[in-house]
Amino acid sequence: MEGQYRDILFKGLDLNMNNFEKIHNEFQNNKSISVKNLLCVDESLNFNNEPMFESFKETILKNFDIKRDSINKNITFILRKGTREIKNIEYVKENLNNTINYVYMEDYSKEEQLRLIANTDVLIGLHGAGLTWCVFMKKNSQLIELYPGNSNTDNYIRWCKIANVNYKRLCVDIVSGSAGNFRNANVNINMDQLKQIKEYL
């Protein structure tokens, strides 16, 4: 099993990688394994505020020894390099709350990213994979997803519902590229859009 999230998945779920690899190798060689105890759960997931998910994410954080910050209000703004950049980011910084933490997620390890988001009360960012971390935010925290132009996907709406996170979509102005190819578009955020963001800060 390869991939950049492998270690965080196994540590978070308190699974043993060596045991997994042994079992995996058995299956790769068309061999069988013996199972002493098999637990079957006949329950369907509720994709609107699933109670079990809260316990799941708290288990992950416990296994990483991550404590929630219940005192400070932490605001994180995810920035991007190369695609979906905010071209007037200095203007944005000048006109938003100066306690916002502006980050490039690729500058952090996966565990550092998890720790950062677990203690974020308001998460802001352009549509992209970095927003996936929203599922580990505190209950009733806020995700503000910025969309280039009037493009629309509902990935993060669904994830916020299951994770008990509030969701706000805000369409921002494309300055290069097009709505048809919004994943490669760059944007500006105007004063009216900044006012809408401020309402959630």
Side-chain angles (χ1 to χ4, degrees):
M1 181 180 182
E2 299 297 330
Q4 57 182 335
Y5 292 96
R6 183 189 70 181
D7 294 338
I8 203 165
L9 176 66
F10 274 80
K11 182 175 178 180
L13 293 175
D14 197 26
L15 300 174
N16 186 304
M17 187 64 196
N18 291 331
N19 289 344
F20 172 82
E21 287 180 341
K22 287 177 188 174
I23 294 169
H24 178 71
N25 290 337
E26 293 294 313
F27 284 124
Q28 289 285 78
N29 295 318
N30 291 320
K31 295 180 180 178
S32 61
I33 61 170
S34 297
V35 177
K36 292 180 181 177
N37 297 303
L38 183 63
L39 175 65
C40 296
V41 179
D42 186 20
E43 291 183 29
S44 59
L45 279 175
N46 175 7
F47 284 92
N48 289 294
N49 301 325
E50 169 54 55
M52 290 172 56
F53 194 80
E54 197 63 31
S55 174
F56 164 78
K57 63 183 179 180
E58 292 307 318
T59 297
I60 299 281
L61 299 182
K62 179 183 176 186
N63 288 333
F64 278 96
D65 196 29
I66 296 174
K67 308 281 192 298
R68 299 276 199 192
D69 180 355
S70 58
I71 299 171
N72 302 301
K73 183 173 184 179
N74 299 303
I75 305 166
T76 303
F77 200 131
I78 297 176
L79 302 177
R80 297 178 56 91
K81 299 175 184 177
T83 60
R84 276 166 277 157
E85 289 184 347
I86 300 171
K87 289 301 186 181
N88 67 337
I89 188 60
E90 294 307 318
Y91 172 80
V92 170
K93 289 179 179 180
E94 288 170 12
N95 288 280
L96 283 183
N97 186 327
N98 61 6
T99 62
I100 294 174
N101 184 21
Y102 295 88
V103 300
Y104 293 96
M105 293 300 262
E106 56 266 44
D107 293 341
Y108 296 81
S109 70
K110 294 298 179 284
E111 186 170 338
E112 288 169 337
Q113 291 179 35
L114 176 60
R115 192 174 300 277
L116 173 70
I117 298 303
N119 285 297
T120 292
D121 297 280
V122 181
L123 179 63
I124 310 164
L126 274 156
H127 173 80
L131 299 185
T132 306
W133 287 110
C134 70
V135 297
F136 289 104
M137 293 174 71
K138 303 172 187 175
K139 186 176 181 179
N140 296 320
S141 54
Q142 179 73 52
L143 171 66
I144 302 173
E145 182 179 16
L146 307 176
Y147 262 87
N150 199 24
S151 50
N152 184 5
T153 63
D154 64 357
N155 296 2
Y156 302 108
I157 299 173
R158 289 179 293 167
W159 294 346
C160 283
K161 281 182 179 178
I162 195 172
N164 257 318
V165 172
N166 298 314
Y167 176 87
K168 168 68 178 174
R169 170 187 284 137
L170 183 61
C171 296
V172 293
D173 305 322
I174 293 176
V175 293
S176 65
S178 66
N181 188 18
F182 72 91
R183 287 182 177 84
N184 292 312
N186 294 317
V187 304
N188 276 347
I189 303 178
N190 65 37
M191 182 53 74
D192 180 60
Q193 294 156 355
L194 289 174
K195 286 178 181 176
Q196 292 183 64
I197 291 172
K198 285 181 180 180
E199 292 175 9
Y200 293 89
L201 307 183

